[in-house]
Amino acid sequence: QSKCSDPNYTDRLSEGKKKILEVVADIANVERSFGLDTSVEEYQNEFKFGLIEVVYEWAKGEEFLKIIELTDVLEGVIVKCIQRLDELCRDIGKAARVVGDPQLGQTMLEVSNLIRRDIVFAASLYTM
């Protein structure tokens, strides 16, 4: 989410964000080495961390009513963000198993299990 209040970065969240941006820079540099016109800074700016605290607290088991107080983002956007993260984790887990990395596959399954709960994954009348 690009337009929301700044999250409260704990040391752990700051370190995670730093690692993600380092990997993004590495990817951009590889792209540049193959002749693509990729700007490291522009590529890093495509990654938004506005809901990092909200999702982290959700994964730790916090109640939905508590996590929505951490941001000014609408509840539906938070739900969609967590659902998309779950989908991404499942896709990475499948890919990891295909390429022979069962440890990463297991980690992604564990992450999915942590966030796949309660109202965020309740059946919706709108999708029935």
Side-chain angles (χ1 to χ4, degrees):
Q1 182 70 23
S2 60
K3 296 180 181 177
C4 64
S5 56
D6 289 332
N8 179 24
Y9 287 101
T10 63
D11 290 341
R12 185 170 188 158
L13 292 178
S14 293
E15 184 62 30
K17 179 182 176 183
K18 180 181 171 190
K19 286 180 183 180
I20 290 168
L21 292 175
E22 287 171 359
V23 170
V24 169
D26 290 345
I27 292 169
N29 287 326
V30 169
E31 288 180 355
R32 290 176 70 187
S33 73
F34 282 95
L36 294 173
D37 185 25
T38 304
S39 163
V40 173
E41 185 176 295
E42 285 179 16
Y43 197 31
Q44 286 178 328
N45 287 336
E46 290 181 27
F47 289 77
K48 309 301 180 203
F49 295 91
L51 292 176
I52 191 170
E53 178 187 19
V54 172
V55 174
Y56 181 67
E57 292 299 323
W58 178 255
K60 287 178 23 184
E62 193 60 71
E63 296 177 15
F64 192 75
L65 286 175
K66 299 261 170 112
I67 68 165
I68 63 173
E69 295 173 358
L70 299 173
T71 184
D72 55 358
V73 173
L74 296 173
E75 293 87 347
V77 174
I78 295 170
V79 167
K80 194 67 174 168
C81 174
I82 295 171
Q83 289 173 342
R84 290 179 70 196
L85 177 61
D86 176 63
E87 186 178 323
L88 177 64
C89 289
R90 288 185 284 126
D91 289 346
I92 292 172
K94 290 175 193 173
R97 287 187 277 288
V98 168
V99 299
D101 191 344
Q103 177 70 33
L104 178 58
Q106 182 61 34
T107 300
M108 292 296 101
L109 177 63
E110 291 170 10
V111 171
S112 179
N113 289 336
L114 288 173
I115 62 175
R116 193 171 184 78
R117 62 183 179 83
D118 298 335
I119 195 167
V120 172
F121 288 91
S124 169
L125 294 176
Y126 295 108
T127 60
M128 295 176 125

